[in-house]
Amino acid sequence: MPRYAILVDPYSGAAEYANAFRARDIEPVAVLSTPGPLNSYRRTWNPDAFFRTHHHDGDFDELVRTVKEYDPVAIVPGNESAVMLVDALIEELMPGTGNVFELSEARRDKWPMGQAVAAAGIPHLRQIATDDPEEVAAWIRDNGLQGRPLVLKPRRSGGTDDVHKVGAREDWRPYFDRLLGSVNRFDIRNDTVLVQEFAEGTEYIVDTYSVDGKFGLVSVSRYSKSAKNDRIGIYDAVDYLAPQDPIAIALGEYTRRVAQAVGVRTGCTHTEVMLTADGPRLIETAARLAGSCLQYSARLATGDCQIDRTVRHHLDGTFTPGYEIVQPVRVVWLSSPREGILRNAEALDAVRALPTFQRLGLPYANGELVPCTEDLFTSLGWVILGGPSQESVDADTVRVKEIEARLTVEPV
């Protein structure tokens, strides 16, 4: 008799998820939270990786009946878009085994998320969510933020989608007007805009896997990001920190408190934290696994990842509290300086000869239109490097950027 795992919106790392369950004789079944794949993920959506795919048309009772027929060993989210739907399915079919249901929105929406963190007494960024620019103006005055930089973003998006930095003396209103009413990368209309004080510092990723309220640290890594005009979320690289690093220890403890505040008890979280001069400050947390190529890179760096812990938890009942570093690993993201036609994708084949090369991700082919890189969704691709020393990874990073510079993107 076959057994099944339900993976909801498994857009990022879909094949990794599917293969990990199949290796344990569990058939992966995909459920998409919308009648079709989200437009932002059409290039990475791989239905062939799954035993079967179901599409949620809004009838929750029907979806419950469909999922129940599989008698699944697990129901897990693969993307932000799945977080609240998975919470509802687990509450209905596996009550008491998931996260705190009443705090579901705080694990998906950045406004109640920030409120939950503040209510728990955790250091946080000041923010407001509203559709009224006059409320924003009053909030700026009341908090003494006049003449200081701000960040404006959607409440329910991800991947640095439409995240804008407003300079210290720049007018924030045009960005507010542009965001309000627009549709984000998750096909959600931005009925309000989130406005935050700008956090100066270094950004880190803290990935976790919890079991029945026990907090497990999967990895801590450092983001390198760059800005282009007002867009501040262009991904450049990710490097993994040793678990004994004082920064990793401090960020792990901070993230544990955040996870408790938003009701995480079981499963993955992917948390972004800015380490400022005043200490850690939450950028956002999502109750799902780290996307893009970060499961593969984490496994190379630590010998483990959130997907592996998911499978071990649901099939073996195991809990892993921490991690180790087995080799230096870096993810190098590729970018395009403009929108245009990619003419020589084969130039990137040269990265395969680098001593620390591990994997290349390039979802575009010659003759295809590529976007100007402004966020994670518009990255051109990525290269994962890993080797015996940090020096070798650093040297190959330089070569990757030299090879990337040979790419021709013809303006349209």
Side-chain angles (χ1 to χ4, degrees):
M1 176 73 70
R3 295 189 299 165
Y4 304 94
I6 303 296
L7 311 178
V8 185
D9 285 353
Y11 296 123
S12 298
E16 299 282 351
Y17 244 147
N19 292 340
F21 275 108
R22 278 211 174 97
R24 298 292 302 274
D25 296 322
I26 304 295
E27 287 290 352
V29 175
V31 170
L32 299 192
S33 64
T34 51
L38 288 170
N39 288 331
S40 300
Y41 290 97
R42 286 187 182 276
R43 283 187 173 274
T44 58
W45 167 233
N46 181 16
D48 294 337
F50 298 93
F51 172 75
R52 187 171 292 137
T53 296
H54 298 276
H55 300 266
H56 179 41
D57 62 2
D59 187 336
F60 181 69
D61 291 337
E62 178 61 28
L63 180 62
V64 168
R65 285 191 289 270
T66 298
V67 171
K68 188 175 182 178
E69 288 178 358
Y70 285 101
D71 189 21
V73 298
I75 306 173
V76 294
N79 198 281
E80 276 105 333
S81 54
V83 167
M84 295 183 67
L85 182 57
V86 167
D87 284 345
L89 286 170
I90 291 176
E91 183 72 5
E92 183 73 25
L93 297 172
M94 303 174 176
T97 67
N99 295 321
V100 178
F101 183 66
E102 292 75 16
L103 289 169
S104 184
E105 279 196 321
R107 295 185 292 274
R108 174 68 181 98
D109 187 317
K110 299 176 183 64
W111 174 236
M113 181 188 302
Q115 291 177 303
V117 170
I122 301 169
H124 60 281
L125 297 175
R126 289 170 289 182
Q127 63 180 27
I128 184 173
T130 180
D131 62 356
D132 184 354
E134 296 312 313
E135 284 190 26
V136 177
W139 174 82
I140 291 172
R141 290 193 303 270
D142 293 345
N143 285 275
L145 295 174
Q146 302 99 320
R148 294 178 59 179
L150 300 169
V151 172
L152 281 72
K153 62 176 73 170
R155 287 172 52 174
R156 290 194 182 189
S157 194
T160 62
D161 169 37
D162 245 348
V163 177
H164 300 270
K165 178 187 176 183
V166 181
R169 289 173 176 77
E170 190 179 0
D171 186 3
W172 52 267
R173 291 176 185 265
Y175 300 102
F176 185 94
D177 293 341
R178 172 182 163 181
L179 276 169
L180 186 64
S182 64
V183 177
N184 65 34
R185 296 277 187 178
F186 290 82
D187 293 346
I188 299 171
R189 186 169 299 280
N190 298 317
D191 294 328
T192 60
V193 177
L194 190 73
V195 183
Q196 292 178 326
E197 61 177 322
F198 175 71
E200 186 75 51
T202 302
E203 190 171 349
Y204 292 84
I205 306 168
V206 184
D207 287 332
T208 71
Y209 193 89
S210 299
V211 177
D212 297 331
K214 294 181 292 186
F215 180 81
L217 200 57
V218 178
S219 65
V220 178
S221 50
R222 182 176 56 253
Y223 264 138
S224 298
K225 288 184 179 180
S226 56
K228 182 184 294 182
N229 301 319
D230 65 292
R231 302 302 298 274
I232 60 174
I234 300 174
Y235 290 61
D236 293 326
V238 161
D239 292 278
Y240 290 84
L241 275 64
Q244 63 271 25
D245 187 311
I247 291 177
I249 294 171
L251 294 179
E253 174 57 23
Y254 179 85
T255 303
R256 181 191 65 79
R257 295 177 64 194
V258 168
Q260 288 181 333
V262 300
V264 171
R265 296 194 73 258
T266 293
C268 300
T269 66
H270 177 68
T271 305
E272 296 174 345
V273 181
M274 189 71 74
L275 186 56
T276 73
D278 297 321
R281 296 293 185 270
L282 177 69
I283 301 300
E284 63 179 281
T285 188
R288 48 85 176 171
L289 67 111
S292 185
C293 57
L294 295 181
Q295 297 301 310
Y296 184 79
S297 61
R299 191 182 286 137
L300 282 172
T302 72
D304 202 2
C305 69
Q306 290 173 312
I307 286 175
D308 295 342
R309 294 198 190 193
T310 301
V311 173
R312 295 200 305 269
H313 162 220
H314 287 289
L315 299 186
D316 305 326
T318 61
F319 166 72
T320 306
Y323 72 98
E324 62 179 354
I325 293 293
V326 298
Q327 66 175 335
V329 169
R330 174 176 291 154
V331 180
V332 181
W333 267 279
L334 306 173
S335 64
S336 173
R338 66 182 65 86
E339 181 183 62
I341 304 300
L342 181 62
R343 292 302 185 193
N344 61 335
E346 66 279 359
L348 284 173
D349 288 340
V351 304
R352 302 179 187 277
L354 298 175
T356 65
F357 172 79
Q358 298 290 337
R359 183 177 282 193
L360 167 65
L362 181 67
Y364 298 97
N366 281 341
E368 287 193 303
L369 180 69
V370 300
C372 175
T373 300
E374 295 183 329
D375 52 26
L376 182 60
F377 292 100
T378 52
S379 292
L380 191 59
W382 42 261
V383 178
I384 300 177
L385 306 174
S389 70
Q390 189 62 52
E391 291 75 18
S392 60
V393 171
D394 290 344
D396 282 355
T397 300
V398 174
R399 292 286 296 124
V400 169
K401 302 313 288 185
E402 291 172 351
I403 294 166
E404 177 191 38
R406 300 174 191 165
L407 290 173
T408 298
V409 177
E410 186 179 284
V412 292

